[in-house]
Amino acid sequence: MNLWFLAPELLAELAISKDETGTFRVSSHPSDKPKRANPEEVIRQLVMIQLRCHYHYPYGRLLQEYVVQMGVTKKRADIAITDNNNNLETVIEVKQVIDDNSILQLQSYMHAAGARFGMVVSLHSRKVFMREPNGSFTQISDLPVYCGEHDTNGTTYGQLTKVDDSIAKTLMASLGITGLSRISNTVSCLYIKNKTMKLSNTSLLSYSAVRKQAIGTGIILPSTVGNGDWDNLLSLLFDTATVVEGNATTDAVRRGEELFQAFLNQICEQCDSNTETMFKEIYSAFTDWYRKNNNGNDKYLPSRKNISAQLLKNGFLSRKLGGQVYISGIRIL
């Protein structure tokens, strides 16, 4: 378990106070107004301190409650980091538990705000992503460190490295884990020592929870693993997971997602936020287009839920009206 939040230099900077109503409040800098000390707020203030102490970002580059325009709706990112020209460079979301939805939310903010980097962080883990020029996301090992000088890309950040999976593969072999299947957005099957463990994705985030369930199936795992090693192993497992959607494999699902991106580029037009199209019309048009471009086969046609998530990932927001779901900022040509 990564206990980064217990670093003495972080705790020393955290200011905790009690107001006249007896409510505890917390802040990370003398210039900041203390905020109610709920769990996510405490994590956020610790991250703010860490960005200054460990990553060396100037205080003036760090913004809280940064407004992200998502179509007709305004959302607020927990933390934002700006570059030399005050352009948004990094978005950070703080969660009590990191799951697929929190990662999707982060990436939608990155798309909408044009952020190059993003991180979702909890007390015990964090996921960091870099947005590629084509709009895809690459998981990287950590946020860049502020170095005060421009690199060849014109940014003020240090060198980036992708997640090294060699340690994860070694741990995977030592634990007897052979793979992972994603049953849904919330449930997966972990294949370990010739047995199948079905468990929630939330439980997967905790090695202790996985170990406890493994004991129930007769599998004894080591009491602990190295700091951050389980997170890296999970990243490797999810990157190589079989996605069970009917009998779909990862390649089939990925092809469906690629076809939907092509559908957006060829059949749809991005409009202003006042333009809305019913979701069922978009899905119906995509279904017809998918069949034409997939030899009439819709066996691995992405589900409505999958397409809804991809629309959000591309920055298109939805709203319900009169029992129908409308997607803003898009129309079918």
Side-chain angles (χ1 to χ4, degrees), residues 114-179:
R116 185 182 179 193
F117 304 108
M119 177 172 74
V120 58
V121 57
S122 69
L123 271 183
H124 304 303
S125 63
R126 59 185 62 197
K127 302 285 185 182
V128 185
F129 300 91
M130 179 173 67
R131 188 169 62 92
E132 305 287 0
N134 63 3
S136 64
F137 293 94
T138 298
Q139 186 172 354
I140 57 178
S141 58
D142 204 350
L143 286 179
V145 174
Y146 178 82
C147 60
E149 297 178 355
H150 290 281
D151 62 17
T152 56
N153 293 320
T155 63
T156 57
Y157 302 99
Q159 185 177 4
L160 294 173
T161 56
K162 293 186 178 181
V163 174
D164 181 5
D165 62 6
S166 59
I167 296 177
K169 288 180 178 178
T170 300
L171 178 61
M172 185 172 168
S174 68
L175 296 178
I177 296 174
T178 56

Side-chain angles (χ1 to χ4, degrees), residues 207-220:
Y207 175 74
S208 61
V210 173
R211 181 175 181 270
K212 182 178 180 180
Q213 186 161 332
I215 291 174
T217 62
I219 299 173
I220 306 300

Side-chain angles (χ1 to χ4, degrees), residues 60-279:
R61 299 278 179 89
L62 306 177
L63 307 174
Q64 299 184 59
E65 300 294 328
Y66 183 88
V67 176
V68 178
Q69 188 71 44
M70 303 278 289
V72 297
T73 306
K74 291 182 179 180
K75 302 290 185 179
R76 292 186 180 273
D78 289 325
I79 300 173
I81 304 175
T82 60
D83 62 15
N84 279 339
N85 299 315
N86 289 323
N87 296 317
L88 182 66
E89 190 71 24
T90 302
V91 174
I92 299 174
E93 279 295 291
V94 176
K95 302 293 181 183
Q96 292 190 51
V97 176
I98 297 175
D99 56 17
D100 288 348
N101 289 332
S102 58
I103 293 175
L104 185 61
Q105 179 187 6
L106 171 72
Q107 293 178 346
S108 68
Y109 285 2
M110 292 172 67
H111 265 305
R116 185 182 179 193
F117 304 108
M119 177 172 74
V120 58
V121 57
S122 69
L123 271 183
H124 304 303
S125 63
R126 59 185 62 197
K127 302 285 185 182
V128 185
F129 300 91
M130 179 173 67
R131 188 169 62 92
E132 305 287 0
N134 63 3
S136 64
F137 293 94
T138 298
Q139 186 172 354
I140 57 178
S141 58
D142 204 350
L143 286 179
V145 174
Y146 178 82
C147 60
E149 297 178 355
H150 290 281
D151 62 17
T152 56
N153 293 320
T155 63
T156 57
Y157 302 99
Q159 185 177 4
L160 294 173
T161 56
K162 293 186 178 181
V163 174
D164 181 5
D165 62 6
S166 59
I167 296 177
K169 288 180 178 178
T170 300
L171 178 61
M172 185 172 168
S174 68
L175 296 178
I177 296 174
T178 56
L180 182 79
S181 290
R182 298 186 61 181
I183 307 302
S184 68
N185 285 337
T186 58
V187 178
S188 296
C189 283
L190 183 68
Y191 303 108
I192 178 170
K193 296 186 177 180
N194 297 320
K195 293 188 177 181
T196 301
M197 287 173 45
K198 187 175 181 180
L199 66 173
S200 69
N201 291 338
T202 301
S203 296
L204 266 176
L205 296 175
S206 167
Y207 175 74
S208 61
V210 173
R211 181 175 181 270
K212 182 178 180 180
Q213 186 161 332
I215 291 174
T217 62
I219 299 173
I220 306 300
L221 297 176
S223 57
T224 60
V225 295
N227 286 347
D229 290 349
W230 182 250
D231 287 343
N232 289 337
L233 173 57
L234 282 182
S235 296
L236 176 63
L237 285 173
F238 276 102
D239 285 345
T240 58
T242 298
V243 180
V244 181
E245 188 173 63
N247 292 319
T249 63
T250 300
D251 288 342
V253 173
R254 185 177 294 116
R255 172 169 169 75
E257 293 177 349
E258 290 173 350
L259 283 172
F260 182 71
Q261 290 298 320
F263 167 78
L264 288 178
N265 294 332
Q266 298 176 23
I267 307 299
C268 299
E269 180 181 34
Q270 186 169 354
C271 311
D272 62 75
S273 57
N274 294 322
T275 301
E276 294 184 322
T277 303
M278 292 176 63
F279 174 76

